Amino acid sequence: MGFDAGIGAVLQRWLFHLGCVLALAWPAFINGQPFYFPDSTAYVRAADSAAYIFSGERIRTEWTEHYRRSLDPEGKARDADRHVGARGNDLASESIMAGRSPYFGALLWLSYLLSRFWLFVVAQAAIAYWLVRVALRLFGLARPATVAGTVLLLSAVTALPYFTGLLMPDLLAGIGILAFLLLAIDRGRLARGERIGLLALLLLSVVAHLTHILIVAAMAAVLAIRAWAGHWPRARIVAPIAPTLLILAAGIASVLLTSTVVEQVFGRKPLLVPLLTARFMADGPGLDYLRRHCPEAGFAACAWADRDEVVVADLLWSHDPAKGGYMFADAATRRALSAEDKAFALAVLADHPLAQGADILCNGWRQAIAVEADLLNYACVAGPHCWPALPPRERAALQASLGGRGLWPQPAIARLQQGAIVAAILLLLAWLAVDARRGGERRDDLRLWLLLIVVALAANALLGGGISEPQARYQARIVWLLPLAAIIAGLLWRGAGEARATDG
């Protein structure tokens, strides 16, 4: 009888965990397929091409056919410098874009081979669930009903479950931030396995995308300043900061290693997309600089000095000659644009410091308030130009999915997510004004969390809006941390902590 009861309790516990994990991944299952973003295919194909090349062309998948001929001798461009490729990655001229982590791509590729990406979706949901559980436990809020309610609320009103199903490294930004937040309030309460797990997730986050390195670095700097100002004990400062610095170094090393390997294989360094050039031109000061200083300035962007206006996404990716530019540039021009990107940005800032500085802040603000996941419905349904980069089987599944048929109520979902963020901010402000003043370790920890979350949101907004193009997806990938913090604040406010939790 006791043995049966024990088995039943274990089964009940694992069913509880499974239910929570599935709740954090429900949109992908309802959609009928994980969500693609245009860059998703670049990540998968980068790993696929690496397997194809390094296996001596023995490893092939349904992703291989799209680029295989470009690697054959007859597929190489005769004049690589003057070759104009129709894609960002152009193997015919051996032009490879930087900024697409092959390490993340390898994870996606393997999950496709094993499960057509479902393993990736479930793994992201399971990681998010584990992090939420650990967070609630450190705040003394680990009762099953509290965990279930928190998971269901996050699943219902935030962008978190949509990003668990997105085939991009976006969720790893939020996962890395949350892992760092937990390390910051550890104070010896994490088990050794938990600490190792958090550090591993932080490492995964920083090798998945360059922006994650910068966001974590900003948080680490602010935490170090806060610790110094608060006269924290040395051990408490070193515990989160020292391993984080090593992980940041590993993230930078991964970028350098990727560049070295690409150069060894293809004979050319990977190209950074000229985001700053496009952004500053779209803002206006960049175009004004080109009109007044070209051709004497000698920048490759002088070719676009006659444009009346520029839209970042169009200039970089459009195949419309009236709007596009980068897609019509030959390989030599693309290399010049990549090499000159920072120099052009500095020249524009020197010429228009106030105007361009104001534009960066304005775009950062626009990014900061775009908080909904606007990635559910695809722009096309059928026809030869609808996601041609996908293998036929994946393309058919995409077109049959809810997103492929445009059936997601995107505006309603966006309003729900925006409302949740507003409610979370109001609750947090009220908590700071009233309950946070009671003090104690848990409230001190949450105040530290809010400081670091604001730093992460600000860094993310400047990177997404100030340097690239404001897109709701950029901020939505991490802004779900505010509702999580608000839930914790609300529970602390109403005294929902467990009896064994102490406030010091």
Side-chain angles (χ1 to χ4, degrees):
M1 189 74 174
F3 177 78
D4 291 341
I7 292 295
V10 171
L11 180 61
Q12 184 180 25
R13 183 164 63 251
W14 280 103
L15 287 175
F16 176 86
H17 296 326
L18 178 62
C20 288
V21 170
L22 294 179
L24 289 171
W26 70 266
F29 290 107
I30 294 297
N31 189 56
Q33 183 189 46
F35 295 101
Y36 276 98
F37 189 77
D39 287 352
S40 301
T41 58
Y43 282 105
V44 178
R45 198 161 282 116
D48 191 84
S49 61
Y52 180 71
I53 292 170
F54 290 113
S55 70
E57 302 183 359
R58 289 189 297 272
I59 297 178
R60 301 187 184 193
T61 72
E62 57 189 321
W63 292 86
T64 309
E65 191 60 30
H66 187 74
Y67 64 83
R68 182 180 59 80
R69 290 184 178 85
S70 297
L71 293 173
D72 294 337
E74 60 272 17
K76 298 293 184 182
R78 293 183 179 179
D79 186 350
D81 286 344
R82 300 304 168 200
H83 179 74
V84 178
R87 297 183 292 271
N89 284 321
D90 182 29
L91 297 180
S93 62
E94 298 179 329
S95 296
I96 307 298
M97 283 195 305
R100 305 292 185 273
S101 168
Y103 317 102
F104 175 76
L107 291 178
L108 268 189
W109 183 70
L110 288 172
S111 74
Y112 180 81
L113 295 182
L114 296 172
S115 63
R116 291 186 68 187
F117 298 125
W118 288 112
L119 183 60
F120 173 78
V121 173
V122 173
Q124 289 210 121
I127 290 169
Y129 169 59
W130 178 67
L131 290 173
V132 169
R133 280 185 63 89
V134 173
L136 292 173
R137 180 173 64 78
L138 290 188
F139 283 99
L141 304 166
R143 283 193 290 259
T146 302
V147 173
T150 300
V151 167
L152 290 176
L153 198 55
L154 292 173
S155 298
V157 302
T158 76
L160 173 57
Y162 299 94
F163 279 93
T164 62
L166 179 65
L167 303 177
M168 289 287 287
D170 291 21
L171 184 63
L172 291 175
I175 285 174
I177 292 169
L178 185 49
F180 182 80
L181 293 175
L182 292 169
L183 291 167
I185 64 168
D186 173 14
R187 296 196 307 279
R189 294 176 294 168
L190 292 168
R192 184 171 181 270
E194 290 175 328
R195 185 172 173 81
I196 291 173
L198 292 174
L199 292 173
L201 290 175
L202 190 57
L203 176 62
L204 176 61
S205 176
V206 300
V207 302
H209 203 276
L210 177 60
T211 59
H212 302 179
I213 298 175
L214 300 175
I215 292 169
V216 173
M219 295 172 66
V222 171
L223 178 62
I225 294 170
R226 174 67 184 84
W228 174 78
H231 304 289
W232 287 10
R234 178 181 174 83
R236 186 182 173 191
I237 299 173
V238 170
I241 296 296
T244 298
L245 292 178
L246 292 176
I247 286 171
L248 290 172
I252 296 170
S254 73
V255 175
L256 297 176
L257 176 62
T258 300
S259 178
T260 300
V261 171
V262 169
E263 186 174 12
Q264 288 293 323
V265 173
F266 295 102
R268 303 180 189 275
K269 291 183 178 180
L271 302 179
L272 284 168
V273 177
L275 289 171
L276 289 170
T277 299
R279 177 69 268 159
F280 286 15
M281 288 176 64
D283 289 337
L287 269 179
D288 182 71
Y289 177 89
L290 292 176
R291 290 170 187 148
R292 292 190 297 109
H293 295 282
C294 286
E296 292 78 14
F299 289 116
C302 285
W304 302 320
D306 60 346
R307 296 286 178 99
D308 292 329
E309 62 179 3
V310 164
V311 175
V312 173
D314 288 342
L315 182 70
L316 295 177
W317 311 117
S318 176
H319 289 88
D320 181 348
K323 300 177 180 179
Y326 190 70
M327 289 291 101
F328 296 98
D330 59 32
T333 303
R334 290 187 185 184
R335 284 197 297 275
L337 288 164
S338 176
E340 297 167 359
D341 192 41
K342 294 184 181 65
F344 175 75
L346 290 173
V348 174
L349 281 169
D351 210 44
H352 298 277
L354 295 180
Q356 188 58 62
D359 285 332
I360 291 173
L361 294 177
C362 179
N363 290 326
W365 174 250
R366 287 171 53 208
Q367 179 65 78
I369 61 175
V371 296
E372 71 277 3
D374 60 343
L375 43 82
L376 305 181
N377 291 322
Y378 302 107
C380 64
V381 177
H385 300 296
C386 179
W387 289 81
L390 289 177
R393 182 171 62 157
E394 282 300 294
R395 186 168 178 266
L398 180 144
Q399 292 174 336
S401 69
L402 287 183
R405 289 177 287 158
L407 297 179
W408 282 97
Q410 182 68 69
I413 293 172
R415 287 193 292 272
L416 178 64
Q417 293 172 359
Q418 291 163 350
I421 297 303
V422 171
I425 292 173
L426 292 176
L427 175 58
L428 288 169
L429 290 174
W431 178 81
L432 285 170
V434 180
D435 189 63
R437 296 182 177 183
R438 293 170 56 189
E441 284 186 344
R442 291 188 297 166
R443 290 172 178 81
D444 290 344
D445 286 345
L446 187 53
R447 281 198 297 267
L448 177 62
W449 264 33
L450 294 181
L451 171 63
L452 297 176
I453 289 173
V454 168
V455 169
L457 290 171
N460 187 72
L462 287 174
L463 290 169
I467 294 178
S468 182
E469 178 83 358
Q471 297 180 32
R473 170 185 138 249
Y474 290 153
Q475 204 72 353
R477 65 181 181 164
I478 65 172
V479 79
W480 55 268
L481 292 165
L482 282 178
L484 174 60
I487 291 170
I488 293 171
L491 291 170
L492 292 179
W493 198 345
R494 65 185 292 266
E498 296 169 351
R500 67 174 178 272
T502 63
D503 280 332

